[in-house]
Amino acid sequence: MQFVSTRDASHQASFSEALGRGLAAGGGLYVPLEWPASAVAGVRAGEALASQAAQFLAPFASGDPLAAEMPAIAGEAFNFPAPLVPLDGDRLGVLELFHGPTAAFKDFGARFLAAALVRLRRGAPRPLKILVATSGDTGGAVAAAFHRQPGIEVVVLFPKGQVSPTQQQQLTCWGDNVQSLAVRGSFDDCQRLVKQAFAAPGFAAAWDLSSANSINLGRLLPQAVYYVASSVQLRARTGKPASFIIPSGNLGNATACVWARRLGAPIAEIVLAHNANRTVPDYLAEGVLRIRASVATLASAMDVGNPSNLERLTALYPDAAALGLAISAVSVDDGAIRARIRADHERFGALWCPHTATAAEAWALMPAARRGSQQWVLVATAHPAKFRETVEPLVGRPVPVPASLARLFGRPAQYTEIDATLAALQATLERRAA
Ligand SMILES: *Cc1c(COP(=O)(O)O)cnc(C)c1O
């Protein structure tokens, strides 16, 4: 099957070409050219997530060099569960996406991309170097997924002194084929540096650079799997479709859910819960897109003022009126995040990370009739232990740390400090290669 650029309908790519390139020529994003009904039809309730993933992804990889490897790739990426846990009877469930190695949903997409790229790079003369600018979760998930994978090196750039101690540990505890760089600057400086590296003539080719951020189809498409699997499961149990409330920033996770529904998964409403970065809720309310600088919030992985995957949503729903029929969006400020973490701990004994708390707040804000009209599912995007500095003072007790995170916390950290310049990045790459 072919994928097409959001900016140029004549530019198409196969599954593995889209994965290898990340961005389409001209800066567009790859979206499916067709919506094969067989993808969702092949997914049966109660099967292991890895085989559901292989079923779902098979039509997209049909005719591709990766087609025969899809069951193995799905097995490597979906080797931890995504349980749908009841919170308030059958009325409200929580889709827990945080049982992977770095305890956030990004593990699914990062692991899928890693398993696919390793196979695509077999026999290449030089390692592929993956540059990731990160403000926290992405870098950890990508580093974990590619750690000790043959033929691939990862360079993680994070803003020095601007990530939490827990996040910094996840970015710097790897070693081997993962190089962690503390950039003297902001997250925006890190992102600018990565863009400069790709834009500088000859630079990307000289170093065999690639990127692994959420615009890569190989991270986004696999995320549809857990929406298909959980909605099929809920329908098997209750006969009704699922409605998801998704903590959102760059809209990768939200786009995956919209695609799952477009492909025929039993999904009714899709609600996007944003933090104080209001670009999407304001676009839907005002009908005009106003891009702005991001503002820092407690739900830092969602601090995005210019969501890159909005381009994929507008490829399906060209204006605010059309998009507003497909999804809705709310904005939740830090005060409401704190209050919601406290309140739901008291009411349900729940422990939310600040991101998941935005979804819980969006549900609580609904009028009772709307709450009762759907089978709502809160999407839990990260484990609360990743954000224990925020969560523990609010709930007044320690947050239990899952074994996978505890292992990361126990590893020795190592990183190199660099200036926020392309020359400094180049010097570091050269030192490493020497
Ligand atoms: C990345 C992230 C989000 C936002 O997901 P998008 O796909 O960028 O919308 C939400 N919560 C957590 C914990 C994340 O790491």
Side-chain angles (χ1 to χ4, degrees), residues 103-106 136-138 167 214 219-220 223 226 246-256 272-274 299-304 307-309 353-356 358 379-383 386-387:
F105 78 89
K106 292 190 174 78
D137 281 348
T138 299
Q167 283 177 321
S214 72
R219 281 190 50 195
L220 198 132
Q223 292 177 178
Y226 43 73
I246 307 174
S248 292
N250 245 332
L251 302 177
N253 215 3
T255 301
L272 278 45
H274 290 268
S300 54
M302 296 159 35
D303 290 349
V304 179
S308 23
N309 285 298
C353 86
H355 310 81
T356 306
T358 65
V379 177
T381 49
H383 193 285
K386 286 190 93 166
F387 301 90

Side-chain angles (χ1 to χ4, degrees), residues 308-389:
S308 23
N309 285 298
L310 186 57
E311 188 165 330
R312 283 190 164 114
L313 290 178
T314 44
L316 279 175
Y317 308 105
D319 55 36
L323 186 59
L325 294 175
I327 60 161
S328 57
V330 295
S331 163
V332 175
D333 68 19
D334 276 358
I337 289 175
R338 283 198 195 86
R340 183 50 50 198
I341 292 174
R342 252 195 228 109
D344 284 359
H345 179 250
E346 275 174 26
R347 179 170 171 202
F348 301 115
L351 286 170
W352 304 138
C353 86
H355 310 81
T356 306
T358 65
E361 175 70 1
W363 181 79
L365 286 173
M366 285 176 186
R370 183 157 183 233
R371 275 208 299 270
S373 72
Q374 303 289 346
Q375 309 237 63
W376 291 102
V377 176
L378 308 179
V379 177
T381 49
H383 193 285
K386 286 190 93 166
F387 301 90
R388 54 189 177 169
E389 294 94 341

Side-chain angles (χ1 to χ4, degrees), residues 8 28 55 97 119 154 221 272 284 301 340 370-371 376:
D8 178 0
Q55 287 290 343
L97 301 180
R119 287 166 170 83
V154 175
L221 188 61
L272 278 45
L284 294 179
R340 183 50 50 198
R370 183 157 183 233
R371 275 208 299 270
W376 291 102

